[in-house]
Amino acid sequence: MKGNSNRTWTQISSYLLVRTRAVRWANVVVLVGFAGLFFGVLSFAHEVTGHFRPAVQIDLSPWALPKYALYSLSRGLAAFGLSVTFTLIYGYWAAKDQAAGRVLVPLLDIMQSIPVLGFMPGLVLALVALFPSSNVGLELASIIMIFTGQVWNMTFSFYHSLRTVPQDLREASEVYRFSWWQRFRQVELPSSMIGLVWNGMMSMAGGWFFLMISESFVLGDKDFRLPGIGSYMSVAIHEGNVSAMISAIVAMIVMIVALDQLLWRPVVVWAQRFRVEEGARDERVTSWFWELLRRSNLVALFSRAVRRMIRRFQRIPKPIAARLPPKPSALPGRVASLAALVFIVLGLMGGTWALVQIVHHLSLGQWGRILGAGGVTLARVIASTAIGTLWAVPAGLAIGLNPRLSRMLQPVVQITASFPAPMLFPLVVGGLSLAGIPLGWGSIMLMLMGTQWYILFNVIAGATAIPSDLKEAAQTYHLSRWRRFRTLYLPVILPYLVTGWVTAAGGAWNASIVSEYVMYKGDGLTTWVLGSTISQAAEKADLPLLAASVVVMALIVVLVNRTLCQRLYRLTEERFSLSK
């Protein structure tokens, strides 16, 4: 008896000792991470507020890359914070106000179709003039350009998720008379979280796509350059320094892997609580960093403090009909929405008038050539989207339906998708040149390198959201693979797939400006189409040609989205939504 007692005490002591060591190590790691984060913020703030340097000299030594990676990462995270804020406000407004949605959704189409080079000259010059004595203007311009590569698919995903919240959850929030904040936090945001997380990962990848342009750009005779991996790679390509190019690629891969393990993997684990399922037999995704944070006393203290602050701003409604509060009036919100809408419409009218003043000198012949170039680029966009769909749908279903496969491939997919494809363009163009493939056809592959991930990530999000009871029912009835795909998988993923098509097509249009005008061995290879026209017009600061090309690109994108994609959206909402 005494021997058993001693053995039990020894086991308890060993467990407590191991547990204490784990907690101690977790706290040390958290403290070191916090110190590193604090140092990084201070270093980036010092760079932003430093004396104005329009074209900083880039050090091509590999030892300079950690500092450049820190600056690029800081810009990417700042842009992502801006993207999340914009998504929650704009997506909620468009989904909740039907009248505003008729303006905001087409406007979203237009904004996502405007390539970064279309507004870069005005944005950079305006912000540099606004902050003439510091780097704030250039840094803000770079962050906004990265933001425009991140935000659109998140906003589309959030808007569509709000439109397809399950009917029973909507009715429950009505019965309990939730306030708008309670409905948003407890019903709408959890229902949107899976799509938001996967599109958030894709957004970071989209932001890196134009990293070289966002950190290094030429306007006529003016050369603007910020320290970062993008400008490092740009200078390395310009000088033909192969070892520096390889160093930049390695640094980019290391940064993306670290971001995946320290940010996205824990976020995916956390987001599993929002899955709508009843079977719960699937293997859960895990994260070593998430487990480490859970062991830390410091993180627990911080979490408790945050929860106490949140509780002060909300109240859980009492599910008793007699105690229900009166239904709040929606009039103040409608008045504010109408005022904001009028402000936006007036701004659009002013912008349209300014645009007309810029492009009215162009001849009909020039407009005809721009339209013809737009038609050719449209064909390439369709081709790259179709090729991406062919492989991304089966691959996305395989990853989304198999948690074990998702655990293995999600980091690989995230890293591959996050890598800025333009950094690899010189290698790909070299391969195409050796194979005798002209840039006219090769640009489809270059577009595909940047846009296929939008489709893949949305299909994964849709497959992840398929309820387990429906999958178990399909297994019980022994449905064949084709019948499962046709009757279960495709209807559920179709809303996500349409979002993937819309954002992939928008990404392809943006990618056309770097896919149809490529720097290779110090020379600019070009093919006559809309993307190369925009690139060359921006480089020569030819504002009338640049504005006209951007207008044509935006009109084509909006026309396609209005006539084709919106019909698909309505079809998915009416026939394939799980909320009906």
Side-chain angles (χ1 to χ4, degrees):
M1 189 70 179
K2 186 176 179 181
N4 291 337
S5 176
N6 288 337
R7 190 163 52 250
T8 304
W9 173 247
T10 302
Q11 290 174 346
I12 293 174
S13 301
S14 301
Y15 171 78
L16 290 175
L17 185 61
V18 171
R19 176 73 180 169
T20 303
R21 286 176 178 170
V23 171
R24 192 182 303 157
W25 275 110
N27 287 334
V28 170
V29 171
V30 169
L31 279 175
V32 171
F34 180 78
L37 184 65
F38 185 70
F39 170 77
V41 170
L42 281 183
S43 177
F44 184 61
H46 179 72
E47 172 62 28
V48 171
T49 56
H51 185 68
F52 179 60
R53 295 173 297 170
V56 65
Q57 291 297 318
I58 298 298
D59 180 6
L60 291 185
S61 164
W63 304 110
L65 278 169
K67 182 178 69 175
Y68 292 159
L70 171 66
Y71 291 160
S72 295
L73 181 61
S74 300
R75 294 183 192 111
L77 292 177
F80 186 74
L82 193 60
S83 299
V84 172
T85 306
F86 178 89
T87 292
L88 296 180
I89 296 174
Y90 197 97
Y92 187 87
W93 186 16
K96 292 298 176 181
D97 190 326
Q98 195 170 0
R102 292 194 184 98
V103 176
L104 296 179
V105 176
L107 183 60
L108 200 63
D109 280 341
I110 295 173
M111 289 191 292
Q112 78 146 350
S113 64
I114 297 177
V116 63
L117 290 181
F119 59 86
M120 184 190 70
L123 177 71
V124 172
L125 295 177
L127 288 175
V128 168
L130 195 61
F131 301 95
S133 58
S134 72
N135 291 319
V136 173
L138 272 181
E139 291 287 353
L140 279 178
S142 177
I143 290 171
I144 291 174
M145 283 190 277
I146 296 173
F147 160 83
T148 59
Q150 293 180 344
V151 68
W152 314 122
N153 60 312
M154 287 177 66
T155 308
F156 272 116
S157 171
F158 186 57
Y159 164 78
H160 188 68
S161 297
L162 290 179
R163 298 270 298 176
T164 55
V165 171
Q167 185 66 30
D168 53 347
L169 295 180
R170 283 203 296 248
E171 291 174 352
S173 65
E174 288 290 330
V175 169
Y176 290 119
R177 293 186 184 175
F178 279 11
S179 65
W180 75 268
W181 170 246
Q182 289 169 329
R183 188 166 55 247
F184 175 75
R185 184 177 178 274
Q186 299 178 25
V187 176
E188 293 165 342
L189 191 58
S191 300
S192 313
M193 193 54 69
I194 296 292
L196 208 52
V197 167
W198 282 96
N199 276 284
M201 288 190 281
M202 189 59 239
S203 290
M204 285 299 290
W208 298 136
F209 188 81
F210 287 109
L211 188 62
M212 286 196 295
I213 293 178
S214 302
E215 293 181 345
S216 179
F217 30 87
V218 177
L219 299 177
D221 57 348
K222 296 180 180 178
D223 186 1
F224 296 100
R225 197 180 305 136
L226 290 167
I229 292 185
S231 53
Y232 183 99
M233 189 66 173
S234 177
V235 173
I237 292 174
H238 182 75
E239 295 184 1
N241 190 330
V242 177
S243 63
M245 283 189 262
I246 294 174
S247 299
I249 291 173
V250 172
M252 195 72 206
I253 291 174
V254 170
M255 187 177 75
I256 291 170
V257 170
L259 197 63
D260 174 75
Q261 292 297 311
L262 302 181
L263 176 63
W264 290 118
R265 195 75 177 171
V267 169
V268 169
V269 173
W270 170 79
Q272 288 181 126
R273 66 183 66 185
F274 301 108
R275 293 179 62 181
V276 181
E277 61 176 341
E278 295 176 358
R281 291 193 312 172
D282 294 335
E283 184 181 344
R284 294 288 179 175
V285 181
T286 59
S287 163
W288 64 269
F289 189 63
W290 175 259
E291 292 300 323
L292 187 143
L293 292 179
R294 291 180 61 187
R295 291 174 180 173
S296 168
N297 294 333
L298 299 175
V299 174
L301 285 172
F302 179 75
S303 300
R304 282 197 290 272
V306 171
R307 281 198 293 269
R308 278 198 295 272
M309 289 178 61
I310 292 176
R311 286 195 195 100
R312 293 182 180 179
F313 294 97
Q314 66 174 4
R315 294 176 182 174
I316 304 299
K318 298 178 180 179
I320 302 174
R323 297 181 183 177
L324 289 178
K327 197 170 183 179
S329 171
L331 184 59
R334 289 179 182 173
V335 171
S337 175
L338 182 61
L341 198 59
V342 169
F343 178 77
I344 290 177
V345 171
L346 289 177
L348 289 174
M349 292 173 65
T352 304
W353 175 251
L355 195 60
V356 170
Q357 298 300 310
I358 295 175
V359 302
H360 78 282
H361 295 296
L362 293 177
S363 65
L364 287 177
Q366 288 175 299
W367 280 105
R369 284 193 291 275
I370 294 172
L371 283 172
V376 177
T377 300
L378 172 62
R380 289 181 178 143
V381 168
I382 293 173
S384 64
T385 305
I387 295 171
T389 304
L390 286 177
W391 81 266
V393 169
L397 279 173
I399 296 173
L401 292 173
N402 189 330
R404 183 172 298 177
L405 200 61
S406 176
R407 180 166 54 84
M408 294 170 54
L409 294 183
Q410 185 259 327
V412 178
V413 172
Q414 171 66 16
I415 292 165
T416 309
S418 298
F419 193 85
M423 283 190 177
L424 300 176
F425 278 10
L427 299 176
V428 178
V429 171
L432 293 173
S433 179
L434 289 175
I437 300 174
L439 186 61
W441 290 102
S443 60
I444 296 175
M445 180 181 293
L446 299 181
M447 287 184 190
L448 183 65
M449 290 173 64
T451 61
Q452 56 196 339
W453 310 112
Y454 292 100
I455 304 171
L456 178 66
F457 274 60
N458 275 281
V459 173
I460 293 175
T464 307
I466 296 175
S468 292
D469 53 350
L470 294 183
K471 289 187 283 186
E472 289 169 0
Q475 289 178 348
T476 302
Y477 289 107
H478 301 290
L479 298 184
S480 64
R481 287 187 179 181
W482 168 246
R483 197 168 179 189
R484 287 185 201 181
F485 175 77
R486 188 170 56 85
T487 59
L488 175 60
Y489 301 157
L490 184 59
V492 176
I493 69 167
L494 196 54
Y496 296 85
L497 188 56
V498 174
T499 300
W501 283 336
V502 171
T503 52
W509 281 104
N510 267 303
S512 68
I513 63 177
V514 290
S515 303
E516 295 169 345
Y517 181 67
V518 184
M519 295 301 296
Y520 180 62
K521 293 184 177 179
D523 297 324
L525 302 182
T526 183
T527 174
W528 174 77
V529 276
L530 196 55
S532 59
T533 303
I534 291 175
S535 296
Q536 291 173 315
E539 190 173 305
K540 297 174 183 173
D542 187 347
L543 293 184
L545 182 60
L546 176 62
S549 302
V550 170
V551 167
V552 169
M553 181 178 283
L555 288 177
I556 294 175
V557 173
V558 171
L559 186 64
V560 171
N561 286 353
R562 292 292 99 187
T563 55
L564 179 61
C565 297
Q566 287 306 311
R567 291 184 181 180
L568 288 172
Y569 267 129
R570 281 197 295 272
L571 179 69
T572 58
E573 288 180 11
E574 293 169 0
R575 297 189 55 185
F576 301 118
S577 173
L578 292 177
S579 63
K580 300 295 182 184

